[in-house]
Amino acid sequence: MAKQPQPISPLKNFFAGGFGGVCLVFVGHPLDTIKVRLQTQPKPQPGQPPLYSGTFDCFRKTLVGEGVQGLYRGMAAPIIGVTPMFAVCFFGFGLGKRLQQRNPDDVLTYPQLFAAGMLSGVFTTVIMAPGERIKCLLQIQAATGETKYSGSLDCAKQLYRESGIRGVYKGTVLTLMRDVPASGMYFMTYEWLKNILTPQGKSVSDLSVPRILFAGGLAGIFNWAVAIPPDVLKSRFQTAPAGKYPNGFRDVLRELIREEGVASLYKGFTAVMIRAFPANAACFLGFEVAMKFLNWVAPGL
């Protein structure tokens, strides 16, 4: 059985989650750029080497060709979206826990925590899908040398002008397929690790910073172990020309398996896993610090 500090406050989760999300993007965006470029690089012609031979080759070429700012390409979209997105994510998790409690002192089981995490994934898709679409397009345009979009706002305007709201939200189903199960794993793993890392007789709210970082980082790895295959499909689908995949993710999946094999569903694996630990460690540390601050300044919130 999981031991959570009581009472659960979805509203505090909302504000603390927003701060945690900002911490995550700042730490993790450079490797997210590498991940997207690896996932969306074109298939090489026969006898030709791929554009990037791997994570470190992509990192080196990006740094040499574009400087440090190339690694932070497209960060405006997730930064603008990440505060409300992670706020809603943690709010959804808090609400999911609250809805499953008959009494404020009820301790939730790990399957219940997984279900609460899945609810948070549903909540965040509304914000996440357009932000991911814009981010991916900006990240790959720098790699191809084209400059179709001058920035996040210009990208959003052009997408809306060309295809309406459906163009902005292209890839929503795949975002749901990625985030719902992955969010369940994310929060359940974090709560489980906090419990086993808490010394006997102590409260999880008193967990030390290194242990919070370890629990948050490992939760991020478990999250992405579930999320990588649908994330590869999402990145490919969201950056494809209009009409290339008329049947959605099924066409993307068939093409990838036919041309590149099952291993293609794990493109960017190294970049994702290198990013997952520090980014999510920063996220949960930011969340816990913000939660303690809110408990201090507004205990009744």
Side-chain angles (χ1 to χ4, degrees):
M1 301 286 276
K3 299 177 182 177
Q4 303 99 28
Q6 306 296 333
I8 295 165
S9 172
L11 193 56
K12 285 180 181 175
N13 275 29
F14 179 86
F15 291 113
F19 181 71
V22 171
C23 295
L24 178 143
V25 172
F26 186 76
V27 172
H29 191 80
L31 279 162
D32 187 70
T33 298
I34 302 303
K35 177 204 73 172
V36 170
R37 291 186 178 185
L38 286 170
Q39 289 176 345
T40 59
Q41 65 175 320
K43 185 182 178 183
Q45 296 297 319
Q48 296 294 317
L51 181 60
Y52 307 115
S53 62
T55 299
F56 297 104
D57 181 55
C58 183
F59 180 86
R60 181 183 61 81
K61 287 179 178 176
T62 301
L63 198 60
V64 170
E66 304 168 52
V68 174
Q69 68 177 20
L71 297 171
Y72 282 92
R73 191 81 61 186
M75 193 175 76
I79 279 288
I80 291 168
V82 82
T83 301
M85 191 276 292
F86 267 83
V88 169
C89 176
F90 278 83
F91 172 82
F93 179 57
L95 182 62
K97 291 194 291 183
R98 173 76 71 82
L99 289 173
Q100 295 179 88
Q101 287 182 312
R102 293 184 178 180
N103 301 298
D105 294 331
D106 285 351
V107 176
L108 300 181
T109 63
Y110 291 116
Q112 287 176 313
L113 291 170
F114 185 86
M118 289 176 70
L119 180 64
S120 78
V122 175
F123 274 45
T124 56
T125 297
V126 175
I127 301 170
M128 194 72 164
E132 286 277 302
R133 169 97 153 116
I134 293 165
K135 173 182 69 69
C136 288
L137 288 171
L138 290 173
Q139 285 172 330
I140 67 161
Q141 83 162 1
T144 59
E146 299 177 3
T147 313
K148 183 178 180 181
Y149 310 111
S150 61
S152 300
L153 188 58
D154 180 56
C155 182
K157 286 179 178 177
Q158 289 196 45
L159 288 173
Y160 185 78
R161 187 164 56 244
E162 291 168 4
S163 309
I165 197 68
R166 293 186 64 180
V168 178
Y169 274 88
K170 182 180 178 180
T172 298
V173 172
L174 281 164
T175 305
L176 273 170
M177 289 174 60
R178 181 193 69 177
D179 289 351
V180 170
S183 294
M185 180 64 74
Y186 186 52
F187 285 108
M188 183 190 71
T189 303
Y190 180 64
E191 296 289 340
W192 169 64
L193 287 167
K194 281 205 305 180
N195 287 335
I196 65 173
L197 290 170
T198 300
Q200 190 71 27
K202 295 288 185 74
S203 168
V204 290
S205 60
D206 299 324
L207 209 61
S208 66
V209 168
R211 293 185 182 202
I212 291 171
L213 289 170
F214 179 76
L218 211 54
I221 287 175
F222 275 80
N223 169 81
W224 278 104
V226 173
I228 287 178
D231 186 64
V232 171
L233 298 177
K234 181 195 69 65
S235 294
R236 186 67 69 95
F237 181 68
Q238 287 185 318
T239 57
K244 182 176 181 181
Y245 301 116
N247 296 312
F249 73 89
R250 289 172 295 176
D251 285 349
V252 187
L253 180 61
R254 278 194 289 264
E255 180 185 86
L256 276 172
I257 299 299
R258 183 178 65 250
E259 296 184 358
E260 302 177 47
V262 176
S264 64
L265 293 174
Y266 286 88
K267 274 188 173 183
F269 180 86
T270 303
V272 168
M273 290 305 172
I274 292 173
R275 170 188 179 269
F277 192 95
N280 289 283
C283 175
F284 276 109
L285 180 61
F287 170 79
E288 297 289 357
V289 168
M291 186 64 83
K292 285 189 175 183
F293 176 75
L294 289 169
N295 286 334
W296 177 59
V297 299
L301 188 64

